[in-house]
Amino acid sequence: MSDMLGWHFTNGRRLRDGQPLETGTTYRVGGSLALCSHGLHASTRAIDALKYAPGSVLCLVEVEPEARDADKVVSRSRRLLKAVNVDRELRLFA
C-alpha cells in the first residue's frame, strides 16, 4: 500500500503513550499490528476519526497503511503534518 493522508485525534499535546506532539515528527511502533489494538491508527475522513477521539486536538497525518477497516487504517509509522485544537468547532458542530 502507498502513503496516504489521514486524520487522528489526541487528548492534548501528547500521544496516549506520553510522547509530545511535534509537527514533522514520524512516530513508529514495533510488533505485530492489529486494528483497534496495536499500531498507529488514522482515518481517511475527519468525521470517521471523531468516533475514536479521546480529545479535541485534530491531527493531519501521513501513514502507510498495512491494514484497513471501513473507517480506519493501521500503520507502523505516522508522520504528524499539523495539529490543531478544534474544541470550539466541535462544540458548534454538536
Side-chain angles (χ1 to χ4, degrees):
M1 294 186 192
S2 61
D3 286 356
M4 67 166 248
L5 293 180
W7 301 97
H8 173 74
F9 278 92
T10 66
N11 186 13
R13 296 306 226 171
R14 295 192 174 275
L15 297 176
R16 289 181 184 173
D17 67 1
Q19 292 183 74
L21 284 180
E22 294 182 25
T23 302
T25 298
T26 299
Y27 301 91
R28 299 185 193 289
V29 66
S32 297
L33 298 180
L35 280 163
C36 300
S37 62
H38 185 72
L40 297 167
H41 294 77
S43 295
T44 56
R45 301 181 323 154
I47 193 77
D48 291 331
L50 188 55
K51 290 186 261 185
Y52 307 103
S56 60
V57 175
L58 177 60
C59 301
L60 176 62
V61 297
E62 184 177 60
V63 294
E64 187 172 341
E66 293 196 27
R68 290 182 183 270
D69 199 355
D71 61 354
K72 66 181 170 282
V73 300
V74 65
S75 178
R76 292 193 180 286
S77 66
R78 183 173 61 203
R79 185 166 68 104
L80 178 62
L81 303 175
K82 186 167 187 157
V84 177
N85 188 323
V86 293
D87 186 64
R88 180 179 178 275
E89 291 80 0
L90 291 173
R91 290 178 191 279
L92 291 171
F93 178 71

